[in-house]
Amino acid sequence: MDPEKWNKIKQVVNDALELEPSERLEFLERFDAEIRAEVESLLAFEDSSRDEFGISAVDLSSGFFADDDSTSLAGETIGAYRIVSEIGEGGMGAVYLAERADGKFEQRVALKLLRREMNTAAFRRRFEQERTILAALEHPNIARLLDAGTTDDRIPFLAMEYIEGLPIDQYCRVHGLGLQERLNLFRKICAGVAFAHRNLVVHRDLKPSNILINASGEPKLLDFGISKFISEDFPGAKTATVTRLGAMTPSYASPEQLQSRSVTTATDIYSLGVILFELLSGHRPFESNESSLKEIYRAVVESEPRRPSAVISESGFNPSRTEDETVAFPDRQTKPAKTSTSSAYLAVNPRSVSGDLDNIVLKALQKEPERRYSSAEAFADDIRRHQEGRPIMARPNTLTYRAGKFVRRNLAAVIAAAAIAVSIIAGISATLWQARVARIESARAAKRFNDVRKLANSYIFDVYPEIENLEGALKAREKIVGNALAYLDGLSAEASDDLQLQGELATAYEKIGDVQGALNNSSLGNIEAGLESYRKARMLREAISTADPADLGALERLANNYYTTARTLWNNTQTAKAEEMFEKGLKLRRELVAAQPASAEAKNRLAVLLIDYGAIPVFNSQTERAVGLFEEALAIVESLRRDQPENADFKKTMTRLLRIMSKSKGSLGDYEGGIRGLTQAVEVSRELAREFPNDFRVQRSVWLTNSIFCELYIDKQDGPNAVSTCSPSINFPKAALVKEPENGVVAYDLAISYFNTARAMRLAGRFPEVIENCDAAMAVMTKLSAKESGNAEYRRNLAIYETERARALIGLRQFDRALAGLQKTIEILSPIVESDPKSTTYRYDLSMSYRLSAQALFEKNERSRALESVGKAIEIVNRLRDENAIRDADKNLAAELENERARYSGEQAR
């Protein structure tokens, strides 16, 4: 393109992008037709390029125009190949003829190389996808992938089978192929496309230039650069895809591609129909409308194509071949062939195309994807039927039509009238039998679909609930949900528009998330994997709720997903994200209660969410904020308990509320109030444990209540009661872990029990037992952290266990060992505090590490280092005090630290 004109187009595009879409049409009317057409095509590409590549249409398209100053790559070595010459280029890269250069053997390849200026993450992913697709396609009619790699400057390349041949349309003209030869060739192309479809690949850019015919007359499919996997077994794949206007050839594109709608295998069927139309008539269906993208869009989407036979008749038919036309292949010294799109070079008689072939082509070109051929095999099979003189699927299967076909196939038998009658009856019977078989197969397929769906749902909704809370059933739960998810994933690819099926799939994702990393049940402790499964389910749930906002059941399931995700994020030390999810869940729960004022269950679920949301401010010493949430929850629970005092779910909610409120009271220094609440919670939880002896969650609730009792005595500095309460808490998770060694929840519980027991022993002055229990806690937590190294909560726990161990070592006057452990805690906690500054507890933990380091250093007579450490502890505590994030039990902490600093300074002064 003329550089001056290109600069003008760029300026117009930039000006148009500043306008609203509704204003652009009037703006563009000021310019001539050529500039307007180019600008409109770039603007059409703008939206899609924003999603596909993250760059503007102008920036992307600039790579499409030749650069006169570009340096030839001929002679350069890429991997094991030496470039000979360029044989093609596009917007994303270029294709070169290359030869093997490592001396191992002789080989010529087509080397596809990404443009250097396009070497971005988005384009590399597209290149990687093309490599993955080609690696999966081993077929005689598909160009093979031979090698792949990157250059020294990290530009990816693909080495593909080099095809010496001509595009299929040119090949047919040059060789003067007759109708049957063209149809046989086309059926081979269908075989290659069908193979790609069976391997879950849609080509999305089928056209003559992507189908080369080699010297032996075999077609080869090329250029899977914008193809797409249609199975989620492959990274980034979706059950349906959208082709952007900037990444296809409009003349061969289907209506759904031009409209940016979902693309399936039916899209390739349409493109094959255009190619067959062109092979038969020498013209494309809407060739006269190809002057602009707008015109071809309107024609493909709104107009019906003409019959190929009519196009041939209008263009003129001449079966003769020109004298100077010869067979030509690239890189051979041959006489150039004349090429033309005129039907004068086509040995195809319009009478041969009229009827069956017209109908076959027009069926492939149907606007609605579902009305085209169901597969490339069906397309090829209908052509074969036509060639054999048998009835085709592309026209009404009438008696007259079937009889006529039969007579033409059995001309000799027509002479005998009786034989004709018998043969016609036989033909009709065969056709009816085939139709019956087709109906039976369709019914069987529907039955198989429903049977698989029923089986998957039986796993999720019948079998799984029976063992969901059963102790020791973790492995069985994992297998059951895994099988169900595999079934539903397969069904989802066939029925992506079935909202009910998508809801079932979301449930399966949530169940597998529970198995991977749930907090209140047995799980594998892989929290990140669990969060990813919950995210997949949430995307489905939100889409379903958007489609039908009045469906309260769908909103209920979405609210539950928000709640479960929030709790999991909170346990994974992602405080800000956890609060965001809690807020979404809280808003939705309140809406559900308002929509169902008589529903006790809806109110109970709101109370549970309020209670667990309040745990965040309790943990971070933000008591006032927590109290507001707890008071709202208490009002709900008391109302529910008045109406249904024996309801087990409401008892569980009351126990949960009593536990967290008692913990909150302890942090305020109201130990007696906390003990009263916990005593009541213990009674209720034990009553529930007797009622549900096999329910793991209920049994764990007893352990959880006792653990909070233990922590309350520790906060109260009551050593004897702390020891008697904390030591027995080890038994439940220890026994549960023996039954399920992979259970991450009970492993976490066991580490907490060891740690609490260690703190109790320290209050009792039993330092060797402190070290023993800290070592046991660290051993358990180290295994958990090894499984999920990115879990900050696991690392934080290891740090506080090390801190507690250091307290005991200081008590035993083993200062060097204590300092070594405290240095580890500081190294662990410092980055956690930086990544989650809202979590005040982690900052408190860090201040304690500095405080204990100062004590050990002072005892070692390293006074200057002791002053430095206690100064850091004071700085952290003062910030917490300014934020009103210090527990009432630690209200004298700042003063204590100042006294310690004065003591260290005074000793130094003497």
Side-chain angles (χ1 to χ4, degrees):
M1 177 178 286
D2 176 35
E4 184 177 345
K5 181 167 289 186
W6 169 236
N7 289 331
K8 175 66 174 176
I9 289 171
K10 284 197 296 183
Q11 182 59 50
V12 175
V13 169
N14 288 327
D15 292 342
L17 288 172
E18 297 295 322
L19 303 174
E20 294 295 323
S22 59
E23 301 171 344
R24 291 176 184 173
L25 187 59
E26 182 180 350
F27 169 73
L28 293 176
E29 288 177 352
R30 308 174 192 171
F31 304 99
D32 63 58
E34 184 180 359
I35 289 180
R36 187 164 66 248
E38 291 291 344
V39 171
E40 286 174 343
S41 67
L42 290 173
L43 290 174
F45 187 69
E46 175 68 17
D47 291 337
S48 59
S49 66
R50 201 175 291 126
D51 293 335
E52 292 281 336
F53 309 115
I55 60 177
S56 74
V58 173
D59 291 338
L60 180 65
S61 63
S62 63
F64 291 8
F65 300 95
D67 185 350
D68 295 335
D69 298 328
S70 61
T71 304
S72 171
L73 296 181
E76 288 197 18
T77 300
I78 304 294
Y81 308 96
R82 182 180 299 108
I83 292 177
V84 176
S85 61
E86 183 175 318
I87 56 178
E89 74 173 312
M92 197 167 72
V95 182
Y96 301 89
L97 171 63
E99 296 177 335
R100 192 90 187 187
D102 57 6
K104 292 184 178 179
F105 51 87
E106 291 186 4
Q107 184 183 41
R108 305 181 90 189
V109 301
L111 195 72
K112 186 169 185 177
L113 189 65
L114 187 65
R115 288 181 183 274
R116 295 179 188 277
E117 64 269 25
M118 297 283 187
N119 189 22
T120 64
F123 284 98
R124 285 197 298 273
R125 283 196 297 272
R126 184 171 291 280
F127 231 67
E128 175 69 19
Q129 175 171 292
E130 183 174 1
R131 187 191 71 177
T132 305
I133 287 172
L134 287 170
L137 301 179
E138 279 285 339
H139 189 272
N141 298 119
I142 298 176
R144 292 180 297 122
L145 175 70
L146 302 175
D147 197 0
T150 56
T151 64
D152 293 338
D153 49 353
R154 299 186 65 193
I155 296 176
F157 69 83
L158 301 175
M160 296 171 290
E161 176 184 5
Y162 175 59
I163 310 299
E164 292 190 30
L166 292 171
I168 184 171
D169 54 342
Q170 293 183 32
Y171 182 88
C172 289
R173 289 197 298 271
V174 167
H175 288 265
L177 296 191
L179 176 61
Q180 297 306 317
E181 294 171 303
R182 292 167 190 260
L183 295 178
N184 290 336
L185 194 60
F186 184 78
R187 281 168 53 198
K188 290 183 179 181
I189 296 166
C190 288
V193 173
F195 179 80
H197 289 179
R198 285 196 299 275
N199 284 272
L200 308 176
V201 174
V202 180
H203 190 287
R204 302 202 296 182
D205 195 24
L206 290 171
K207 55 187 176 182
S209 61
N210 281 339
I211 305 168
L212 293 186
I213 315 301
N214 63 20
S216 60
E218 285 296 314
K220 295 279 187 175
L221 289 176
L222 309 175
D223 198 357
F224 282 77
I226 69 163
S227 301
K228 189 74 173 182
F229 277 116
I230 53 173
S231 167
E232 288 195 2
D233 290 342
F234 298 92
K238 300 179 181 178
T239 56
T241 65
V242 170
T243 303
R244 305 299 181 181
L245 288 173
M248 64 177 170
T249 307
S251 298
Y252 297 88
S254 65
E256 60 267 25
Q257 282 180 291
L258 291 174
Q259 292 174 304
S260 294
R261 291 191 284 114
S262 295
V263 169
T264 64
T265 54
T267 297
D268 284 351
I269 302 300
Y270 185 94
S271 299
L272 286 172
V274 178
I275 293 168
L276 182 56
F277 192 110
E278 189 170 5
L279 293 183
L280 298 177
S281 70
H283 299 276
R284 289 179 293 277
F286 302 106
E287 195 171 277
S288 61
N289 302 97
E290 293 179 6
S291 60
S292 72
L293 181 62
K294 182 185 294 184
E295 283 189 37
I296 195 168
Y297 176 95
R298 184 180 296 113
V300 172
V301 173
E302 299 175 4
S303 302
E304 293 299 327
R306 302 182 63 198
R307 290 179 294 111
S309 60
V311 174
I312 297 172
S313 297
E314 284 188 5
S315 302
F317 168 66
N318 182 358
S320 63
R321 187 173 161 190
T322 57
E323 293 180 356
D324 61 347
E325 223 172 16
T326 59
V327 178
F329 289 92
D331 304 309
R332 294 189 181 180
Q333 298 301 316
T334 56
K335 187 177 180 181
K338 287 185 179 181
T339 60
S340 169
T341 59
S342 170
S343 61
Y345 296 96
L346 301 173
V348 177
N349 192 314
R351 290 194 299 273
S352 301
V353 176
S354 178
D356 279 359
L357 287 176
D358 277 341
N359 288 323
I360 288 172
V361 172
L362 294 179
K363 180 174 176 64
L365 295 177
Q366 290 288 334
K367 306 296 185 191
E368 302 84 357
E370 65 274 10
R371 296 185 62 190
R372 297 171 203 154
Y373 285 103
S374 60
S375 66
E377 291 104 323
F379 195 174
D381 189 56
D382 228 12
I383 293 173
R384 180 181 56 78
R385 285 170 175 271
H386 163 75
Q387 291 177 297
E388 294 173 357
R390 297 172 60 203
I392 64 169
M393 304 299 294
R395 64 174 292 174
N397 210 357
T398 62
L399 177 59
T400 303
Y401 172 67
R402 289 197 305 271
K405 282 290 181 181
F406 180 83
V407 170
R408 283 191 292 274
R409 288 201 309 274
N410 302 278
L411 187 58
V414 175
I415 299 171
I420 293 174
V422 171
S423 297
I424 291 175
I425 293 170
I428 294 169
S429 299
T431 306
L432 291 174
W433 178 81
Q434 289 171 348
R436 181 175 179 273
V437 169
R439 286 195 299 272
I440 292 171
E441 287 301 316
S442 177
R444 284 177 180 170
K447 185 176 185 302
R448 281 195 297 271
F449 183 94
N450 291 327
D451 286 348
V452 172
R453 183 171 180 176
K454 185 176 179 181
L455 177 61
N457 285 330
S458 177
Y459 274 136
I460 297 172
F461 300 110
D462 297 334
V463 179
Y464 186 88
E466 292 295 324
I467 64 169
E468 185 172 9
N469 299 322
L470 185 63
E471 190 176 17
L474 177 59
K475 284 295 181 184
R477 289 167 54 220
E478 181 184 19
K479 189 169 186 62
I480 286 171
V481 180
N483 286 339
L485 187 58
Y487 288 142
L488 288 172
D489 262 335
L491 295 180
S492 177
E494 299 180 40
S496 58
D497 57 346
D498 186 334
L499 292 182
Q500 184 177 346
L501 178 59
Q502 297 306 306
E504 292 161 9
L505 183 60
T507 300
Y509 277 129
E510 286 163 350
K511 295 297 183 185
I512 201 71
D514 291 345
V515 171
Q516 291 166 327
L519 308 181
N520 57 346
N521 204 343
S522 54
S523 79
L524 297 171
N526 190 346
I527 295 176
E528 284 297 339
L531 283 169
E532 176 59 18
S533 294
Y534 294 146
R535 185 196 65 79
K536 290 178 180 177
R538 187 166 63 258
M539 296 301 100
L540 291 168
R541 298 272 187 229
E542 288 176 340
I544 293 167
S545 296
T546 300
D548 188 3
D551 186 346
L552 294 182
L555 293 175
E556 167 61 42
R557 289 182 283 274
L558 176 59
N560 191 61
N561 183 288
Y562 286 144
Y563 166 72
T564 306
T565 303
R567 293 194 67 221
T568 309
L569 286 165
W570 165 233
N571 193 61
N572 200 37
T573 323
Q574 298 181 52
T575 308
K577 290 182 180 178
E579 290 183 325
E580 179 185 345
M581 281 295 157
F582 267 126
E583 284 294 340
K584 286 185 176 181
L586 186 57
K587 179 178 181 293
L588 198 49
R589 283 276 170 227
R590 284 174 172 153
E591 289 175 2
L592 284 165
V593 169
Q596 309 165 90
S599 173
E601 290 77 10
K603 293 174 183 176
N604 184 55
R605 293 187 186 106
L606 172 58
V608 169
L609 186 145
L610 288 163
I611 293 165
D612 287 349
Y613 191 6
I616 295 180
V618 167
F619 186 79
N620 290 316
S621 303
Q622 298 167 340
T623 311
E624 290 182 4
R625 183 177 166 212
V627 166
L629 295 168
F630 294 153
E631 286 179 347
E632 184 179 351
L634 181 61
I636 295 170
V637 177
E638 286 180 340
S639 172
L640 294 174
R641 294 267 288 159
R642 278 196 302 272
D643 295 337
Q644 300 181 49
E646 298 305 316
N647 186 298
D649 287 337
F650 303 161
K651 287 181 183 179
K652 293 174 187 177
T653 305
M654 178 58 78
T655 304
R656 185 191 296 256
L657 180 58
L658 288 170
R659 279 198 304 261
I660 193 67
M661 289 182 71
S662 297
K663 189 177 182 69
S664 179
K665 287 178 180 179
S667 67
L668 293 170
D670 182 8
Y671 301 115
E672 296 307 318
I675 289 171
R676 283 194 302 272
L678 283 174
T679 301
Q680 184 182 352
V682 167
E683 291 173 359
V684 178
S685 60
R686 285 176 178 167
E687 178 185 334
L688 287 167
R690 289 190 295 271
E691 188 177 347
F692 303 99
N694 296 320
D695 191 322
F696 174 82
R697 293 185 185 184
V698 173
Q699 302 302 318
R700 182 174 179 268
S701 179
V702 177
W703 169 84
L704 191 58
T705 307
N706 285 328
S707 294
I708 295 177
F709 228 136
C710 148
E711 291 170 357
L712 198 61
Y713 280 123
I714 291 172
D715 289 343
K716 192 183 177 186
Q717 304 287 299
D718 187 340
N721 277 323
V723 170
S724 64
T725 307
C726 296
S727 296
S729 71
I730 294 172
N731 299 331
F732 172 74
K734 191 173 186 180
L737 199 60
V738 171
K739 296 177 184 177
E740 288 183 342
E742 295 300 315
N743 191 323
V745 170
V746 293
Y748 188 89
D749 292 346
L750 179 59
I752 292 295
S753 295
Y754 278 132
F755 171 60
N756 283 338
T757 303
R759 293 200 292 165
M761 294 299 180
R762 190 238 310 159
L763 290 176
R766 294 156 62 171
F767 297 129
E769 290 171 87
V770 174
I771 295 171
E772 178 185 343
N773 280 282
C774 283
D775 288 344
M778 282 191 280
V780 176
M781 194 57 66
T782 298
K783 287 183 180 178
L784 281 176
S785 187
K787 286 183 181 178
E788 197 173 349
S789 58
N791 190 310
E793 179 65 12
Y794 292 165
R795 299 200 307 276
R796 179 252 177 181
N797 283 342
L798 283 169
I800 61 174
Y801 301 164
E802 193 74 67
T803 302
E804 190 60 42
R805 189 170 179 270
R807 291 180 191 272
L809 290 169
I810 291 171
L812 294 170
R813 303 194 65 76
Q814 298 180 28
F815 303 120
D816 287 333
R817 289 180 64 193
L819 285 167
L822 289 167
Q823 183 58 37
K824 288 181 187 177
T825 69
I826 292 169
E827 291 171 359
I828 292 172
L829 289 171
S830 295
I832 296 176
V833 166
E834 289 177 11
S835 65
D836 191 9
K838 289 187 69 176
S839 185
T840 57
T841 297
Y842 297 161
R843 287 189 280 165
Y844 176 87
D845 294 337
L846 183 59
S847 73
M848 289 304 99
S849 297
Y850 282 124
R851 182 185 190 182
L852 291 171
S853 296
Q855 292 175 7
L857 289 166
F858 177 72
E859 293 294 341
K860 286 188 65 184
N861 208 30
E862 296 185 33
R863 296 180 179 86
S864 61
R865 290 180 61 197
L867 280 168
E868 181 184 352
S869 290
V870 77
K872 290 179 179 179
I874 290 170
E875 182 181 355
I876 293 171
V877 170
N878 283 340
R879 286 181 184 171
L880 291 172
R881 183 188 58 194
D882 294 342
E883 296 171 16
N884 195 28
I886 291 286
R887 301 183 309 166
D888 284 6
D890 293 318
K891 59 187 177 183
N892 296 323
L893 180 58
E896 292 171 8
L897 287 169
E898 288 292 352
N899 288 336
E900 289 172 17
R901 178 158 65 177
R903 183 160 63 91
Y904 302 156
S905 178
E907 290 286 342
Q908 189 178 33
R910 283 204 301 268

